[in-house]
Structure formats: structure tokens, C-alpha cells
Amino acid sequence: MKKIVVIGSLNMDLVTQTGQLPRIGETVNGLAFRTVCGGKGANQAYAAARLGGSVAMLGCVGGDVFGEKLLHSLQETGADCSHIQVCEDTESGTASITVCQGDNAIIVVPGANALVSPAYIEAHLPALARVDLILLQLEIPLKTVAYITEYAAGQKIPVMLNPAPAQALPPEIFPRIRYLILNETECSFYTGLPIRTPADAKEGLALLLAKGIGQVVVTLGRQGAVYNHAGSLCHTPARQVKAIDSTAAGDTFTAALAVSLLEGKAMPDAVDFATRASAIVVTRMGAQSSIPSREEL
Ligand code: RIB
């Protein structure tokens, strides 16, 4: 089976549900609090493994209880976690997430994720027996992302980048990306265009393709996704569901797309698969706690 290597963050999500957001200096009563395993990298590895992919993850956790739980959660999916480094003197990454009326606001503190260095990648990536696709996000240092894309280009390994959270990238990275998967906010960040509709997304997508990226998928929440395929720009509508928490919907979409493409599916089928997987995620609370299995899908 083809192998996906996810390189990225592992965070413990500290999730507070509230009906009302406090202003600065104000205290409000919340509805519920939970700790849930998350982090964009770990969520994508978790989703890819749950959806039937063969997965290995590279990343770092702290030598704390959160780190133990994050490792355990991912190991349970069958993903290869043997190269994840436990950094004893550092705390694990955390994400303080406030969920209010179906939307969320997140503050990420990188912790051990900041230690995913080019030297760590150099020591571990070539040691993996098989790498058919590298899946990346932007919750590890940018210099490491640049190093990985350069290594992958040299080895002719395709890279799928989910550029979240959006931040300026050195221009040489773009032509090294085979698949760019981003939401409307990120598309707006990288193109300077307002992206509200599928038509806007097609315009943004065309600008991104001009940077030398192979394939681009722009997700638009309840408006579905736009992508390029066989010389055309296409739109797949979203499944209409009752959304209660969008956390990890983008991660699941990206991972599902990767699994489906590696199974040999064409882009329209892979986007459909990813759209169905992420539709389930938004109907549940939390990150890894909301990701469906292949059977369920
Ligand atoms: O994409 C969702 C993830 O973003 C959360 O699990 C949180 O850890 C943040 O990294």
C-alpha cells in the first residue's frame, strides 16, 4: 500500500464551549470544557489512518502528560509513530479553542512543535522505508517546511501542502508543491483577492496555479470545494449538514483527499470522498474525537 508521511504539529486542544464570547476584561460562564487530541499534523495523520491510509508521522511532543496522550491517540489508529520525538524538557503544543455558535477561535502555543527542525527531519525522513506522499501544514517552523520541500523535490516525492495557519512563504516553495489544499481565508491571504463564492475561488485558484503549483483545491465550507482537473476548473457542492464545530474539518478534508488520490482515484472522486468525510466532522465536537472511520464514511 502507498505510504503517506505527515510532518507537522501535535497539540492538546483545550476546548471551551460557550454561548457568549467575553470581551477583554470580562468574565462569562461557559457551557463545557474538554481536552481533545489535536494539532493540524496529528489530525491529518489520524484522519488518513482512520480512512484507510498507510501513515507515518514525524513531529515532536513534550515530555508531559499531553505528549503521552497525543502519542497514544495516534498509535491507536495504526499510524507509525516510532519517529515522533519526545522532547523531555519541553511542554507539548497546546491550542486553546473557544467554540461559540458553531464557529471557533484558536490560540496555538507551539511548545515542542517548534523543535521540528531540519536536523530532526534529516535524521528521520530518509530512514522511512517508503514515502509516496508528504503531507505538510504550517504549524512547524517555516525553515523546516522549506527544507522538506527541497528534499522532496530532490527525491521526486510529491508534497501536499495545507498552508494553515496562513503565513508568507518564500516564492521558491510554490513550484515544489504538487497539491495545495486551502480554505477561502487562506486563498484570500495568498492571492490578495476576496474569496466568498465558488466563482471568486476559481479566480484565486487560477492565480495560485500560475505560481507553478500542480493542483489546487479551495474549500469553501458549506459552499463545497473548487479545484482544477484535466484543464478545467470544477466545483463540488458540500453535503448539507447541521454544523456544530468546524474544528479539524479542513484537516480531515486534506487527509481524505490524500488517501483517495493515493488509492488511484481521479481528483473529482477524491474531492467527493473528502467532502463527505469533512461533512461528518462538523456535526461533532472536537478535533480527533470527530473524525470518522472508513467504515462509517
Ligand atoms: O485544524 C484544527 C487544529 O488547529 C486543532 O486541533 C488545533 O490543535 C489547531 O492546531
Side-chain angles (χ1 to χ4, degrees):
M1 195 193 276
K2 292 197 169 169
K3 171 87 132 286
I4 301 171
V5 176
V6 182
I7 309 177
S9 59
L10 301 97
N11 295 330
M12 185 54 77
D13 292 352
L14 313 172
V15 187
T16 304
Q17 240 183 306
T18 179
Q20 185 196 349
L21 291 174
R23 289 184 301 253
I24 293 292
E26 188 189 16
T27 302
V28 298
N29 276 324
L31 301 170
F33 174 81
R34 284 210 289 167
T35 53
V36 185
C37 293
K40 293 184 193 306
N43 293 345
Q44 293 184 15
Y46 187 97
R50 294 261 293 158
L51 293 170
S54 167
V55 179
M57 174 149 191
L58 298 185
C60 296
V61 293
D64 51 16
V65 176
F66 287 167
E68 273 171 33
K69 287 194 169 165
L70 288 164
L71 264 180
H72 181 69
S73 174
L74 201 50
Q75 277 161 348
E76 278 200 319
T77 65
D80 174 5
C81 300
S82 59
H83 293 268
I84 295 177
Q85 191 160 309
V86 179
C87 306
E88 289 302 340
D89 298 327
T90 311
E91 75 284 3
S92 294
T94 54
S96 300
I97 304 183
T98 307
V99 180
C100 185
Q101 290 160 18
D103 256 319
N104 62 38
I106 306 183
I107 302 173
V108 172
V109 178
N113 297 308
L115 302 180
V116 181
S117 62
Y120 162 77
I121 299 298
E122 200 181 357
H124 294 274
L125 185 51
L128 294 173
R130 174 166 194 159
V131 186
D132 295 294
L133 179 74
I134 293 176
L135 193 43
L136 284 176
Q137 322 73 33
L138 300 181
E139 283 188 336
I140 56 171
L142 262 193
K143 64 173 190 297
T144 309
V145 171
Y147 174 82
I148 295 164
T149 60
E150 195 181 352
Y151 172 86
Q155 301 291 318
K156 302 204 179 333
I157 302 169
V159 173
M160 181 178 281
L161 174 66
N162 171 221
Q167 49 198 294
L169 292 174
E172 65 272 17
I173 286 192
F174 290 106
R176 300 180 194 148
I177 304 303
R178 176 80 174 81
Y179 305 101
L180 186 75
I181 320 300
L182 68 182
N183 67 19
E184 62 271 60
T185 315
E186 291 142 8
C187 185
S188 190
F189 179 89
Y190 289 108
T191 61
L193 298 175
I195 309 286
R196 291 188 201 97
T197 63
D200 296 342
K202 285 184 179 175
E203 227 180 290
L205 194 152
L207 287 183
L208 292 166
L209 287 177
K211 293 180 190 274
I213 301 161
Q215 295 216 260
V216 178
V217 181
V218 182
T219 60
L220 296 158
R222 63 188 67 225
Q223 294 188 87
V226 163
Y227 57 96
N228 64 305
H229 173 64
S232 306
L233 299 186
C234 314
H235 174 227
T236 294
R239 299 298 197 277
Q240 296 306 314
V241 292
K242 185 168 165 23
I244 61 161
D245 178 15
S246 61
T247 309
D251 298 330
T252 303
F253 183 97
T254 304
L257 193 79
V259 168
S260 192
L261 289 172
L262 280 197
E263 286 177 354
K265 298 288 188 313
M267 189 54 101
D269 292 331
V271 170
D272 183 62
F273 182 71
T275 302
R276 286 190 286 124
S278 54
I280 294 178
V281 172
V282 300
T283 64
R284 301 172 179 169
M285 283 298 295
Q288 290 172 23
S289 51
S290 68
I291 295 171
S293 67
R294 180 71 171 246
E295 293 68 33
E296 189 182 3
L297 188 61

